Amino acid sequence: MALKDLLAQKIEECRPHIAMLVQHFGGVVIDQITIDQVIGGSRDIRSLVTDISYLDPQEGIRFRGKTIPETFEALPKAPGSQYPTVESFWYYLLTGEVPTPAQVEEVVADWKLRQNVPSYVWNILRAMPRDSHPMVMLSTAILSMQKDSKFAAFYRSGKFNKKIAWEYVYEDAFDLVARMPIVAAFIYNLKYRNDVQVASNPDLDMGANFAHLIGQCEEYKDVARMYFILHADHESGNVSAHATHLVHSALSDPYYAYSAGLNGLAGPLHGLANQEVLDWTLKFQEKYCNGVEPTKELITAALWDTLNAGQVIPGYGHAVLRKTDPRYMSQREFCQATPGLKEDPLFKVVSMIFEVAPGVLAQQGKAKNPWPNVDAQSGVIQWYYGVKEWDFYTVLFGVGRALGCMANITWDRGLGYAIERPKSVTIAMLERWAVEGGRTLSGAKGPQEVVVEAVPAISVA
Ligand code: NMX
Ligand code: MLT
């Protein structure tokens, strides 16, 4: 069955479940919220729904129920490769079903039709200051294509209908994921390769074509496939997925929504951490090694200097994970299995950081998770293959993340999720509830009340 038909069937099957949950079980309590969660970035509050991936704090990500190794194992591989095509993964994320090789071929063919980027995008990118951050360029390029949004045109047509609105989101979403690597490669070539013009190779799948467009070697084709799949989705609460979902919930089309998602991904606590890791590692070598071999002792000293300066160790810690990120391990295994890469000096430093950083962070005692996340390992692979412009690394993340964000908002529309609008409260309300909570819990003055009394009252206009 063609991808869109299967998706239509799956959405139809799912709709009664949502209706039944709301109609008969809408009042069932699935969480309670504490003051520290409200102040602390809504951490762990169960308030989003997605079946596309789920993040277990101990195990890490599962895409449509499969772990990373299971996903790589299950999906049809690119010709002559150990890795699946990105196109097969797109099918899988959207539908939850492993496509047959013939179904993958259909998606690959459709993908090629959709990957044509309008020429005005190239004019816009060329007109931008060449030293603009590549994430600014990427987000601008995506936003500029909004004028051709099929969903926005459908909305304006006067025939808007909630039941079929998802079909137009799907059309935009598919166009957008197909154009992402083309735009990313253009930015790379514009900024770092003197605006060299390279045409897509119609015989190649998405990952391989990306490698071709940025002038990379044969081996990099698998790097691209692996990278885009690993970065695609991390359930819905991360900043890029959540921003995309939030903006789309106002019925802003996928271009508006993903441009917003990319702007969130560009933050150093989120996707930009991958460039920060490279920056930290190279500065460490320059400042601490001075021509001598890096040692665990030197790395430990540099990590403490970073912490004592009040900065974070990039690539370590996570808001949900409490173990080493399996995306980190998957990339590490790739490095260890790749002759040349496993002996690479930078990989050795990154491995030494892995040996000492968790201990340092644990000793400092602040981070809830001292283990590495995806960003601690991704840059070294790019660096090894010659993609040394590390401000580009978050663009690569953004190409992958588009798959998850676009699959998610296609389903958001399919299931008719409402405009997102949480409620805010005032600090005075929190203080009142703190006092009431303190009294209710202990039957006497609670510790919260003492704190409230110790600070001057807030005057409210
Ligand atoms: N280095 C130093 N301090 C850290 C780190 C770290 N890697 N991770 C957490 N902490 C601190 C954090 O800043 C906070 O300090 P304070 O109380 O002074 O505000 C304290 O530990 C408690 O934070 P957590 O609850 O453990 O972490 P949170 O959920 O707030 O934040 C991250 C999660 C990922 C933002 C945080 O671990 C971090 O800043 N890591 C470094 C940046 C990074 O690698 N980001 C990429 C995440 C993955 N991605 O691709 O998005
Ligand atoms: C991600 O891939 O989005 C990051 O690991 C951040 C997160 O999950 O919060």
Side-chain angles (χ1 to χ4, degrees), residues 36 47 138 140 152 167 187 208 232 274-275 359 459:
D36 61 350
S47 62
L138 185 65
T140 305
E167 296 188 27
I187 293 170
N274 60 11
Q275 95 167 45
S459 63

Side-chain angles (χ1 to χ4, degrees), residues 277 328 331-332 335 347 350 373-381:
V277 167
Y328 177 93
Q331 294 180 97
R332 181 172 160 79
C335 295
F347 174 62
V350 165
N373 60 60
V374 66
D375 296 320
Q377 189 64 249
S378 52
V380 67
I381 302 178

Side-chain angles (χ1 to χ4, degrees), residues 55 230-235 237-241 265 269-271 317-321 325 327 373-375 397 401:
L55 183 63
L230 283 182
H231 287 80
D233 207 34
H234 220 223
E235 68 172 36
N238 66 77
V239 170
S240 48
L265 191 68
L269 296 188
H270 190 18
H318 201 274
V320 179
L321 282 165
D325 190 336
R327 300 171 298 175
N373 60 60
V374 66
D375 296 320
F397 196 151
R401 185 50 53 95

Side-chain angles (χ1 to χ4, degrees), residues 77-288:
K77 310 294 173 288
S81 158
Q82 317 173 36
Y83 284 91
T85 56
V86 175
E87 290 89 334
S88 68
F89 186 66
W90 171 239
Y91 185 106
Y92 176 63
L93 274 192
L94 277 170
T95 65
E97 292 203 3
V98 173
T100 62
Q103 286 165 330
V104 176
E105 271 319 299
E106 274 183 38
V107 180
V108 170
D110 199 358
W111 195 288
K112 288 188 197 309
L113 296 175
R114 294 171 183 271
Q115 72 185 11
N116 276 329
V117 177
S119 60
Y120 62 78
V121 176
W122 308 145
N123 297 338
I124 289 167
L125 290 174
R126 286 205 177 95
M128 291 179 77
R130 220 38 80 80
D131 63 351
S132 299
H133 193 282
M135 282 301 279
V136 176
M137 291 181 154
L138 185 65
S139 178
T140 305
I142 296 308
L143 191 58
S144 74
M145 289 189 272
Q146 188 281 333
K147 77 179 205 53
D148 297 322
S149 161
K150 293 165 183 165
F151 178 79
F154 178 54
Y155 192 83
R156 287 192 306 266
S157 70
K159 295 184 191 137
F160 187 79
N161 169 343
K162 278 186 175 180
K163 281 258 179 303
I164 57 167
W166 75 267
E167 296 188 27
Y168 295 85
V169 175
Y170 168 86
E171 293 299 334
D172 278 349
F174 202 160
D175 288 348
L176 194 149
V177 295
R179 292 173 185 182
M180 286 296 291
I182 310 295
V183 174
F186 182 90
I187 293 170
Y188 187 77
N189 290 337
L190 177 69
K191 269 183 80 82
Y192 316 115
R193 297 179 75 212
N194 282 324
D195 200 6
V196 63
Q197 304 293 297
V198 188
S200 284
N201 180 337
D203 298 329
L204 298 178
D205 62 274
M206 183 272 218
N209 190 43
F210 180 76
H212 154 75
L213 289 174
I214 64 164
Q216 268 293 338
C217 62
E218 192 59 30
E219 267 182 57
Y220 189 90
K221 292 175 178 170
D222 265 349
V223 173
R225 294 177 187 117
M226 171 187 73
Y227 191 100
F228 296 144
I229 292 174
L230 283 182
H231 287 80
D233 207 34
H234 220 223
E235 68 172 36
S236 293
N238 66 77
V239 170
S240 48
H242 191 191
T244 306
H245 164 80
L246 170 69
V247 172
H248 179 60
S249 81
L251 297 189
S252 297
D253 60 64
Y255 296 94
Y256 276 127
Y258 197 52
S259 178
L262 286 169
N263 297 343
L265 191 68
L269 296 188
H270 190 18
L272 201 84
N274 60 11
Q275 95 167 45
E276 301 290 277
V277 167
L278 240 281
D279 191 57
W280 190 94
T281 312
L282 295 180
K283 283 193 180 131
F284 156 73
Q285 285 180 313
E286 197 182 293
K287 186 168 162 205
Y288 293 79

Side-chain angles (χ1 to χ4, degrees), residues 287-360:
K287 186 168 162 205
Y288 293 79
C289 300
N290 229 340
V292 300
E293 283 279 303
T295 60
K296 288 189 209 169
E297 289 69 30
L298 285 173
I299 290 172
T300 304
L303 292 170
W304 276 114
D305 284 349
T306 300
L307 293 178
N308 291 335
Q311 290 155 16
V312 296
I313 297 173
Y316 281 76
H318 201 274
V320 179
L321 282 165
R322 293 295 175 258
K323 282 271 170 68
T324 296
D325 190 336
R327 300 171 298 175
Y328 177 93
M329 289 314 286
S330 185
Q331 294 180 97
R332 181 172 160 79
E333 281 155 21
F334 177 89
C335 295
Q336 285 170 324
T338 306
L341 185 40
K342 75 169 182 221
E343 294 88 30
D344 182 72
L346 200 63
F347 174 62
K348 286 187 178 163
V349 177
V350 165
S351 298
M352 264 191 231
I353 300 174
F354 182 33
E355 284 181 63
V356 295
V360 169

Side-chain angles (χ1 to χ4, degrees), residues 41-109:
S42 298
R43 199 67 81 255
D44 291 333
I45 298 174
R46 294 180 180 135
S47 62
L48 294 162
V49 193
T50 178
D51 280 355
I52 289 177
S53 66
Y54 181 75
L55 183 63
D56 179 85
Q58 302 297 325
E59 185 192 51
I61 196 68
R62 277 182 184 257
F63 303 117
R64 289 286 187 178
K66 291 194 197 299
T67 62
I68 291 167
E70 286 166 1
T71 303
F72 283 150
E73 174 72 28
L75 293 174
K77 310 294 173 288
S81 158
Q82 317 173 36
Y83 284 91
T85 56
V86 175
E87 290 89 334
S88 68
F89 186 66
W90 171 239
Y91 185 106
Y92 176 63
L93 274 192
L94 277 170
T95 65
E97 292 203 3
V98 173
T100 62
Q103 286 165 330
V104 176
E105 271 319 299
E106 274 183 38
V107 180
V108 170

